[in-house]
Amino acid sequence: MAGIVLSVKPEELEAEVENMKAYLKTLKVHFDAISDKMKNTSYYWRGDAGDSDRIEFANAARTFDSIYVSLAKQPDKLLQIAGIYKSTENKIDSMNDMLITDIFV
């Protein structure tokens, strides 16, 4: 990734984190609804084909859960980055205020 520079304002990053959290929550709600419907197929879809499909879905659901857990950690990491940006900007502003500006009079 050398040569790639990403630039974002901390406020924009925080706003996007909120969007990300909302999206992840919606994603989880929808997947849980699909999962419930898939579990309920056992009441009417019997036999090897139904069993096989439910097993395949259960495997996919475990993969989804793993990915979801990983994605759910990202908003906190992004907020931490935004906090570092703000803290660094505040330190730089404080240092700038201490600099002597009238040396070349």
Side-chain angles (χ1 to χ4, degrees), residues 36-55:
D36 288 343
K37 295 217 183 287
M38 193 63 193
K39 289 174 187 170
N40 289 334
T41 63
S42 64
Y43 296 115
Y44 56 86
W45 188 13
R46 297 191 177 134
D48 293 340
D51 293 341
S52 175
D53 204 49
R54 283 185 288 277
I55 289 169

Side-chain angles (χ1 to χ4, degrees), residues 24-71:
L24 287 170
K25 185 176 182 178
T26 301
L27 181 66
K28 183 70 170 154
V29 166
H30 287 290
F31 189 81
D32 287 346
I34 293 168
S35 187
D36 288 343
K37 295 217 183 287
M38 193 63 193
K39 289 174 187 170
N40 289 334
T41 63
S42 64
Y43 296 115
Y44 56 86
W45 188 13
R46 297 191 177 134
D48 293 340
D51 293 341
S52 175
D53 204 49
R54 283 185 288 277
I55 289 169
E56 287 287 327
F57 183 81
N59 291 335
R62 281 192 291 278
T63 302
F64 171 83
D65 287 338
S66 172
I67 292 169
Y68 182 82
V69 166
S70 178
L71 284 174

